[in-house]
Amino acid sequence: STPSSSHQADSQQDGGCVIAACQMTSIKDKEQNLSTGRCLIARAAKLNAKVVFLPEAFDFIGESAGDALALAEGIDGPLVNGYKEMAKQHSVWLSLGGMHEKGPADDAERIFNTHLLISSDGEVVQSYRKTHLFECEIPNQVSLHESRWTIPGSKIVPPVESPAGKIGMAICYDLRFPEMSLALAKQGADILTYPSAFTVPTGLAHWEVGLFCSTLMKFFLFLDLAEPFVL
């Protein structure tokens, strides 16, 4: 992965819990990405962060849909187990913003895009599968149809209580649907997360507008950690 960074932010809770929003540029090499994640989490822990957030595709970004299928793992696989150990080692909660989760046997040609929340005990306390899939065709710029290799999730999951407050889980293109933000806010979310790997043309066109629309209905801490995804 290319050089990455960790940014601190205070939560809205009275205890002043420190969180870390980490940026990274994933590549096809899963071990290299894991090493980057390990460094970021260790750095965040030294800054007294209690909750650490990683972006969508923190596990890898392949060069084709075939890479996504070949490199995908289950939630019980070695990748997630490695992050569980990091959570325990550093006594931090981890928001893993969107992994390529291996699909079921009856849909083996597609994967899930899954956001995981891991407690400081190293347990997966919540998982959310991306429901709104990105479909875009801009001549000579972007041709991306996520549904060709991704199975849509079927539900919004309830916010989870963490040291930084209740975390509402979403992924990337979910940002374009403010009703989801409203539903999570009504369930008491203090933090909305939109870990992302947006394309450059579409990100420039609507990223800030989408953030604004999704934050109108409630004041909360909003995390939009991202990594570049150039086509």
Side-chain angles (χ1 to χ4, degrees), residues 9-112:
D10 290 331
S11 80
Q12 299 166 6
Q13 305 306 302
D14 293 339
C17 174
V18 175
I19 68 173
C22 299
Q23 308 272 102
M24 61 188 292
T25 302
S26 295
I27 58 178
K28 184 177 175 180
D29 188 332
K30 292 169 65 176
E31 287 302 318
Q32 182 61 46
N33 298 330
L34 182 63
S35 178
T36 298
R38 185 178 292 110
C39 290
L40 288 169
I41 292 166
R43 188 190 309 174
K46 287 183 180 179
L47 295 172
N48 298 316
K50 298 302 180 186
V51 186
V52 181
F53 297 81
L54 296 183
E56 181 184 24
F58 69 93
D59 53 350
F60 66 89
I61 289 183
E63 299 169 357
S64 67
D67 286 343
L69 294 173
L71 298 173
E73 294 184 17
I75 292 176
D76 58 351
L79 177 79
V80 175
N81 286 337
Y83 278 100
K84 286 180 177 180
E85 289 301 316
M86 292 180 220
K88 289 192 291 184
Q89 177 186 353
H90 296 290
S91 297
V92 296
W93 282 56
L94 299 178
S95 167
L96 304 180
M99 69 169 285
H100 300 77
E101 179 193 356
K102 191 173 182 179
D106 61 357
D107 199 347
E109 296 302 310
R110 295 194 295 172
I111 54 96
F112 293 107

Side-chain angles (χ1 to χ4, degrees), residues 197-209:
F198 254 110
T199 67
V200 173
T202 56
L204 289 172
H206 64 218
W207 185 246
E208 290 187 6
V209 174

